[in-house]
Amino acid sequence: MKRTDLVVLAVDDDIINLKLLKSMLMKHTNVKEVIEAKNGSDAIGILKSRDDIDLILLDIIMPIMGGIDMLKVVRADDSLRQLPIIVLTTDETKKAEALECGANGFLMKPIRNDDLIAKIKTVIV
């Protein structure tokens, strides 16, 4: 990661996971801001209102709108299609589906800091 101004959208219905992600990300000098959303629907609203988001960290299993549905919406939108999305989940069986729907990467929970940063480096140019 060479950039020092990354804005990351973290989408997870578990507040503890959100806080953990945020604390991991904010320790790195290349992350400027972490925005939190509790489900895919909230995240889509945030994406529509901001044009400075560089990366999405996306949980799969959430109420209202899950991660797979959100992936489909983002990938169908011309203005959002290029956004890198890393899926974070406890359900290994969702990996193929997430990647088929356009995820750029996949990490199993619990997320380890080193794994997260290494995966982000692979999707941020």
Side-chain angles (χ1 to χ4, degrees):
M1 272 188 293
K2 293 182 175 77
R3 298 192 38 197
T4 58
D5 60 346
L6 290 178
V7 178
V8 179
L9 175 59
V11 188
D12 197 318
D13 60 320
D14 185 323
I15 197 78
I16 294 166
N17 286 341
L18 280 176
K19 298 301 176 204
L20 184 63
L21 275 173
K22 188 170 191 168
S23 78
M24 279 194 266
L25 291 165
M26 293 310 291
K27 287 179 190 167
H28 293 277
T29 55
N30 31 0
V31 175
K32 177 176 83 174
E33 183 181 4
V34 178
I35 303 158
E36 300 175 11
K38 290 182 177 44
N39 60 60
S41 181
D42 288 352
I44 296 293
I46 291 166
L47 288 168
K48 297 280 188 196
S49 69
R50 294 185 60 151
D51 63 358
D52 62 343
I53 293 170
D54 301 299
L55 171 69
I56 300 170
L57 299 177
L58 180 62
D59 184 26
I60 292 288
I61 301 163
M62 296 179 290
I64 302 171
M65 178 188 274
I68 297 293
D69 290 335
M70 182 185 158
L71 258 172
K72 291 175 182 174
V73 169
V74 170
R75 292 303 182 228
D77 186 317
D78 287 339
S79 64
L80 303 174
R81 183 175 290 139
Q82 298 307 315
L83 263 174
I85 300 174
I86 299 172
V87 169
L88 315 172
T89 189
T90 54
D91 189 349
E92 178 91 36
T93 64
K94 298 289 186 188
K95 181 176 184 176
E97 185 180 8
L99 295 173
E100 283 170 21
C101 290
N104 300 87
F106 187 91
L107 282 173
M108 286 296 293
K109 290 180 181 178
I111 304 300
R112 290 185 29 241
N113 191 42
D114 294 345
D115 296 340
L116 179 62
I117 298 309
K119 185 62 78 173
I120 290 172
K121 285 179 182 178
T122 67
V123 300
I124 297 293
V125 196

